[in-house]
Amino acid sequence: MRPTLLLLPFLVACGSLGTDPDAAAAREVNVYSHRHYDTDAQLFEAFTAATGIRVNLVMADDDEVLTRMEQEGANSPCDLLITSDAGRLGQARMRGLLQPIKSAELESNIPAFLRDPEGHWFGLTMRARVFVYNKNKVRPEQLDDYKDLTRPEWKGRVLVRSSENLYNQSLLAAMVAHYGSEAALAWAEGITANMARTPKGSDTDQLLAVAEGIGDVAIANSYYVGKLMSGTEPEKAKARETLAVAFPRMGPFGTHVNVSGAGVARSAKHLPEAIALLEFLVSEEAQRLFAEGNKEYPVRPGSLAEVLQRFGTLDPDTLDLAQLGLNNATAVKLFDRAGWR
Ligand SMILES: [Fe+2]
């Protein structure tokens, strides 16, 4: 019920998606996206200006976009799927919705761990899952490792959103990959025991709750922190004064990162155009827009937003992100066993 209601307005707003043979003369590409940032509109305009290829966009929430592709099957007008989280991109691959692409351009510009080994999807930007703490109550040395927050000294002080959230599932999936299920379960239990409240709200809500003193440290994605810290809203001024970022490590590995990424649909009727758009999205111009507009880490070096530079240096865990999709089901079960709502 809900997917239809949410998608229809966008379909109407976007007009009909081009699948008829007459449209071949006017080059176009149909994009299904669950990203909802202003930056993306700018990116598509720049692509059209550079190539003359029109972008038809359908936006949807989270997994609805996958469900829609599944229901449409081979007749789906979707050429390119853009979504966040490698776990979701992995699910799209496992559900047979994507096709493998070979592209020297993509392979040379995107580090191997940030794309599917067979080219079903490609990471376009990185986001790190970081700790955000109250500068007045916490010293950064206390926050070296994700495991640090499971210590008894953090009882009642940790803020994090629900385990239904894919960012948390992917964080735990990475722990399953590195440490195995038992250690990952112990971490989830330790965090659950230390929560300042029953999980609710978004990543940004956790940041604001730290500023309000509901807890002392939050787990959140870096771009939410970047947006908050570079913003100008008066009601968030206290948060900007109070908060600081720490990059926890996962044992000997770096900080957990995830991607926003894209894959060419199995049903693609505009294959060259879909590949052209994908390649454009890792161009220097597009990567700069992602970085500046949405405070994400570019997958190709350079053009880091000023606010992210202030946070310090990100040393990403280079775990093959395909592992996040493969271990997602295990992560969901472990959260359940840990009692993390
Ligand atoms: Fe997000």
Side-chain angles (χ1 to χ4, degrees), residues 36-37 84 127 161 167 221 223-224:
H36 42 81
Y37 315 122
S84 59
R127 47 276 299 279
R161 71 199 288 181
Y167 304 144
N221 275 359
Y223 60 97
Y224 293 116

Side-chain angles (χ1 to χ4, degrees), residues 83-105:
T83 185
S84 59
D85 202 288
R88 188 176 288 113
L89 289 159
Q91 282 170 20
R93 178 191 168 157
M94 286 186 267
R95 285 155 76 170
L97 301 173
L98 304 176
Q99 61 173 291
I101 295 300
K102 285 286 304 167
S103 157
E105 182 78 14

Side-chain angles (χ1 to χ4, degrees), residues 40-70:
D40 293 31
Q42 270 177 277
L43 283 164
F44 297 143
E45 277 165 29
F47 171 71
T48 303
T51 62
I53 301 170
R54 197 175 74 186
V55 179
N56 304 311
L57 180 64
V58 173
M59 288 199 291
D61 267 7
D62 297 339
D63 299 312
E64 289 162 15
V65 85
L66 303 192
T67 307
R68 182 175 185 89
M69 286 172 79
E70 218 156 42

Side-chain angles (χ1 to χ4, degrees), residues 147 150 172 175-176 178-189 334:
K147 281 184 190 161
T150 64
L172 196 61
M175 288 189 192
V176 172
H178 281 314
Y179 300 139
S181 294
E182 282 311 306
L185 174 63
W187 183 81
E189 286 171 340
L334 295 176

